[in-house]
Amino acid sequence: MSKIIVVTSGKGGVGKTTTSASIATGLALRGHKTVVIDFDVGLRNLDLIMNCERRVVYDFVNVINGEAALSQALIKDKHSDKLFILPASQTRDKDALTQEGVEKVLNELSKTFDYIVCDSPAGIEHGALMALYFADEAVVVTNPEVSSVRDSDRILGIIHSKSKRAAMGLEPIKEHLLLTRYSPERVKRGEMLSVQDVEEILSIPLLGVIPESQSVLTASNQGVPVIHDEISDAGQAYLDAVARLLGESKEHRFLDLPKKGFFKRMFGGTA
């Protein structure tokens, strides 16, 4: 039985698609057959981050409408033979995603995949509701700023009330908090919320903290999920998050300012 994970947020631009790509990649690298679905009909960014935009012939909406078989629309990842991408349509309206159509595709994918990662559009519009409706688990992505956290709190309210599990009175969706673009230096200067602040507001378990890093932008521009960059702090943080998602115990890193060495303490200088 496959597990459906939605990656969602209340606000755009928080790193949701980057997170979807890295989590799906991480699960595949750990040996789990995984598919990541782009629910952002009309925009479609996942294929860019996964570097497969030139290979898109059929998309999610084509499959829902019976215009293509699922096997025709799935794109095999270039780095892992256990990872596949189902791209969104750039030419259709978001209403093209119907609950019945999405359920049919998810049921078909569940027959052969261990994990189905749903890359949700931001906010609470139709595509986002379709992405979270059938989820078993939710990764709520937020930046450490008040507006982003407030909007994530609103998304949690939607998850609690409008998912299939909520509608049927089943066990609730398992929620995880992923904090992105975190900078201990800016927290110290009072320019962003601390991890503790965000945890206190949202009250859901912390899956991971992704540090603010140039490597994320570099990886996106290269079409390679940043989790492949195991040297970078961001890549390591995503690897840790995937391990926690799989039930492993990992100490959280990148939460505090680096300690100064002896000579820097003696003679000054930055961390």
Side-chain angles (χ1 to χ4, degrees), residues 33-37 74 83-86 109 113 115-117:
K33 192 174 182 184
T34 304
V35 58
V36 55
I37 307 174
L74 287 172
L83 179 59
F84 291 80
I85 301 99
L86 182 56
L109 290 169
F113 287 93
Y115 286 93
I116 300 170
V117 178

Side-chain angles (χ1 to χ4, degrees), residues 208-221:
V209 176
I210 312 301
E212 198 167 44
S213 173
Q214 177 62 34
S215 62
V216 175
L217 179 60
T218 301
S220 294
N221 288 337

Side-chain angles (χ1 to χ4, degrees), residues 201-260:
I201 295 167
L202 297 181
S203 300
I204 60 174
L206 182 65
L207 180 68
V209 176
I210 312 301
E212 198 167 44
S213 173
Q214 177 62 34
S215 62
V216 175
L217 179 60
T218 301
S220 294
N221 288 337
Q222 292 174 345
V224 180
V226 71
I227 197 170
H228 282 297
D229 184 2
E230 297 183 22
I231 297 174
S232 72
D233 288 354
Q236 293 173 37
Y238 273 118
L239 286 168
D240 287 353
V242 170
R244 294 187 197 100
L245 197 61
L246 292 172
E248 298 175 22
S249 178
K250 286 273 186 181
E251 185 177 351
H252 288 282
R253 300 187 279 170
F254 317 115
L255 307 188
D256 303 308
L257 286 167
K259 293 180 180 178
K260 291 184 179 181

Side-chain angles (χ1 to χ4, degrees), residues 25-134:
T25 297
L27 290 168
L29 291 174
R30 296 291 296 268
H32 302 282
K33 192 174 182 184
T34 304
V35 58
V36 55
I37 307 174
D38 191 345
F39 274 78
D40 204 353
V41 175
L43 291 178
R44 198 177 85 189
N45 289 315
L46 180 65
D47 55 303
L48 293 173
I49 289 180
M50 303 294 290
N51 195 21
C52 63
E53 70 275 11
R54 295 184 190 89
R55 292 202 251 163
V56 177
V57 178
Y58 295 108
D59 57 53
F60 192 11
V61 175
N62 290 139
V63 178
I64 287 175
N65 291 342
E67 299 160 352
L70 184 57
S71 58
Q72 292 176 286
L74 287 172
I75 300 171
K76 191 174 183 179
D77 181 60
K78 295 179 180 179
H79 303 283
S80 172
D81 60 1
K82 290 189 176 292
L83 179 59
F84 291 80
I85 301 99
L86 182 56
S89 171
Q90 282 185 311
T91 59
R92 308 292 182 99
D93 187 83
K94 296 182 188 297
D95 290 336
L97 296 178
T98 64
Q99 191 167 296
E100 297 76 15
V102 170
E103 183 173 28
K104 182 179 178 181
V105 172
L106 292 177
N107 285 341
E108 191 171 347
L109 290 169
S110 295
K111 296 174 184 176
T112 52
F113 287 93
D114 301 318
Y115 286 93
I116 300 170
V117 178
C118 302
D119 181 27
S120 170
I124 55 173
E125 47 84 18
H126 182 72
L129 296 178
M130 288 296 99
L132 68 81
Y133 185 76
F134 296 100

